Amino acid sequence: MARSRKATTTGDLVRSIAVIMIPLAVITVLFTKLPKDHPVQVVDPQPVLAKARTESPYPILAPANLPNDWRATRVTWVRTGEPYLNEAPSVRNLWRVGYLTPDEDYIAVAQGDLEPDEFISAETREGAVDGESTVNGDIWERRVSADGRTRSLVQRTDTVTTVVAGDTSYAALEAFAATLASS
């Protein structure tokens, strides 16, 4: 004898979808929380700068007279052989200070004294040569990353390689480089 089936209604369909969707919605909310805005951590570069200028075998460059709305967010000084990234010994004396501009662009100056080709490659995001800039009468090599996002100015001397880099225009990098002073 055949059993009679109750006809499926729209209400049955809605209840079936709810049984599936409600747990999915709860799981989605629990596991995909939106990250909270992280406030910019402003640092005072002066103590590290003073130490770097005392210990460095080359003149340490840092921006002078930046507007007050520029915020230092990163500062590093490490001597050759001291622990650096992942506690590995640093292969060079390394100075770096980075700032957020009022437009939220990051611009940094980095200096290193050994293995200049590797240093330039890392600091410029493997940037390709893209011409030259003249800043305060000095010639700087321009570099641009493969994705076109990061631009850099590079200056080599016998004792130190200096890189000014940021995700901004060459004009902005040149203006920043023009503020660099060794004292």
Side-chain angles (χ1 to χ4, degrees):
M1 185 175 213
R3 278 179 28 177
S4 64
R5 276 191 148 182
K6 182 178 164 187
T8 303
T9 65
T10 305
D12 293 333
L13 179 63
V14 169
R15 280 186 290 279
S16 296
I17 291 175
V19 165
I20 294 170
M21 295 305 289
I22 290 173
L24 282 176
V26 169
I27 291 169
T28 301
V29 168
L30 291 176
F31 290 104
T32 61
K33 291 181 182 177
L34 295 175
K36 296 177 183 172
D37 283 340
H38 294 287
V40 172
Q41 300 255 337
V42 177
V43 297
D44 179 7
Q46 294 307 313
V48 179
L49 175 60
K51 182 178 180 181
R53 285 187 169 155
T54 300
E55 297 177 354
S56 175
Y58 53 82
I60 295 291
L61 297 177
N65 302 318
L66 284 179
N68 291 335
D69 51 359
W70 284 59
R71 296 166 291 163
T73 60
R74 182 178 184 187
V75 62
T76 304
W77 165 248
V78 63
R79 295 179 66 172
T80 303
E82 289 181 351
Y84 186 48
L85 297 177
N86 298 323
E87 298 301 314
S90 177
V91 298
R92 68 184 53 83
N93 291 299
L94 174 67
W95 160 251
R96 179 183 294 113
V97 62
Y99 292 83
L100 276 181
T101 70
D103 296 328
E104 300 295 315
D105 293 324
Y106 180 76
I107 299 178
V109 58
Q111 292 181 284
D113 58 353
L114 300 172
E115 301 183 19
D117 293 334
E118 290 177 14
F119 177 66
I120 292 168
S121 179
E123 294 297 322
T124 66
R125 295 183 56 236
E126 299 179 4
V129 176
D130 190 33
E132 292 181 342
S133 289
T134 302
V135 178
N136 296 337
D138 296 322
I139 302 295
W140 293 69
E141 178 182 79
R142 288 180 172 188
R143 291 190 174 233
V144 63
S145 62
D147 62 3
R149 189 182 89 195
T150 304
R151 288 172 183 72
S152 307
L153 301 177
V154 177
Q155 186 178 62
R156 293 184 198 211
T157 69
D158 292 338
T159 57
V160 66
T161 300
T162 304
V163 178
V164 173
D167 295 347
T168 189
S169 68
Y170 286 122
L173 296 177
E174 291 163 356
F176 181 79
T179 71
L180 297 178
S182 60
S183 58

